[in-house]
Amino acid sequence: MSAANALIEDRRLRILKSLEEMQDRRLNEDVLVRMIAASGQSIDIDTLRADLTFLQHQACVSIEKLPRMHGDLWVVNMTGIGTRVADGVQHLHGVARNLMF
């Protein structure tokens, strides 16, 4: 695996772990960008949205698009599959495996 792929997979896991920290398993994209950046990976909104779209296609998250003045705000909800992937119970190609149980 290349270093670039490892970083992408790790970033996707960090997204799921960030959602898992919330009691309602829900965050908006602005908060997610800050949480991922605080974990040590730089990320912009376009990269986050690409990762969220990937995770949505894998049924790990659902995305609500709320209208606002300068484009939609994405609100992300974690699914049961997303929780299992974040916990390391289920493996998903394209997301780093959680090694901490």
Side-chain angles (χ1 to χ4, degrees):
M1 171 187 300
S2 72
N5 284 341
L7 289 172
I8 291 167
E9 290 182 3
D10 182 67
R11 189 177 61 234
R12 290 173 179 163
L13 177 61
R14 289 173 190 253
I15 290 167
L16 294 175
K17 297 301 282 181
S18 295
L19 288 164
E20 190 175 48
E21 289 181 27
M22 302 295 105
Q23 184 175 359
D24 61 357
R25 306 286 198 259
R26 176 182 171 103
L27 283 169
N28 72 55
E29 64 186 340
D30 294 338
V31 175
L32 274 169
V33 164
R34 287 192 296 263
M35 291 178 80
I36 301 307
S39 73
Q41 278 206 34
S42 70
I43 188 170
D44 59 35
I45 199 72
D46 292 328
T47 302
L48 176 67
R49 285 184 171 188
D51 286 338
L52 292 174
T53 300
F54 171 86
L55 292 169
Q56 183 178 40
H57 286 143
Q58 304 305 313
C60 292
V61 301
S62 63
I63 301 169
E64 296 176 57
K65 296 177 182 176
L66 305 177
R68 62 179 174 178
M69 187 177 295
H70 300 290
D72 293 338
L73 173 69
W74 288 22
V75 178
V76 184
N77 297 285
M78 184 180 227
T79 67
I81 292 172
T83 300
R84 289 192 299 276
V85 172
D87 289 341
V89 174
Q90 182 173 339
H91 178 66
L92 180 66
H93 181 72
V95 179
R97 184 167 264 178
N98 183 10
L99 301 177
M100 304 288 284
F101 296 109

